[in-house]
Amino acid sequence: TGSSDPYCIVKIDDEAIIRTATVWKTLSPFWGEEYEVQLQPGFHSISIYVMDEDALSRDDVIGKVCITRDMLAEHPKGYSGWVSLSEVDPDEEVQGEIHLRVEVLGSQGSQRLRCSVLEAR
């Protein structure tokens, strides 16, 4: 039909912690959702998977964005902007990007992550 039913899953070190709402029948979803989670001191990466909900079969992975601990250290005041999706399955072509705002709040002993999943295209 030329559209998707996208939603996002946020994982910290491969543990799913957040699922956004599904935005029905669009290629340019707007979420505007914001979450805060406690980060473990030794975390390695935050992955955001963009999914396509499918009522009749397994949901499809459209692509993902991975934010590593090192990338967050390079942007101590946070990051806001469009990030290109990368493939999850090497046999699938991925096109698209997601608009994120990511901030690390607090001190080394008690860090929280504020991640705003704004929109995608």
Side-chain angles (χ1 to χ4, degrees):
T1 62
S3 67
S4 294
D5 300 318
Y7 66 92
C8 295
I9 294 176
V10 179
K11 295 182 178 185
I12 295 179
D13 293 335
D14 291 326
E15 180 184 345
I17 57 166
I18 294 166
R19 183 198 190 281
T20 68
T22 299
V23 181
W24 303 102
K25 299 184 192 296
T26 185
L27 292 178
S28 298
F30 173 79
W31 287 283
E33 297 182 24
E34 188 173 292
Y35 303 94
E36 277 191 35
V37 296
Q38 194 73 28
L39 286 176
Q40 297 301 318
F43 85 97
H44 293 86
S45 67
I46 301 153
S47 300
I48 300 170
Y49 290 79
V50 181
M51 308 291 291
D52 181 13
E53 190 165 322
D54 192 336
L56 301 177
S57 65
R58 188 172 176 196
D59 294 353
D60 298 318
V61 180
I62 296 173
K64 77 173 184 174
V65 170
C66 187
I67 301 165
T68 65
R69 180 186 192 97
D70 294 337
M71 291 168 67
L72 290 173
E74 290 173 19
H75 301 280
K77 294 186 179 184
Y79 174 82
S80 180
W82 288 93
V83 181
S84 294
L85 296 176
S86 61
E87 76 277 345
V88 174
D89 181 347
D91 296 330
E92 296 288 329
E93 179 183 349
V94 174
Q95 295 180 344
E97 52 189 354
I98 188 166
H99 188 191
L100 300 174
R101 186 171 55 237
V102 179
E103 302 170 90
V104 177
L105 309 169
S107 62
Q108 284 285 10
S110 177
Q111 288 186 316
R112 294 182 332 269
L113 174 73
R114 178 181 293 154
C115 180
S116 302
V117 181
L118 301 174
E119 56 187 324
R121 59 186 177 202

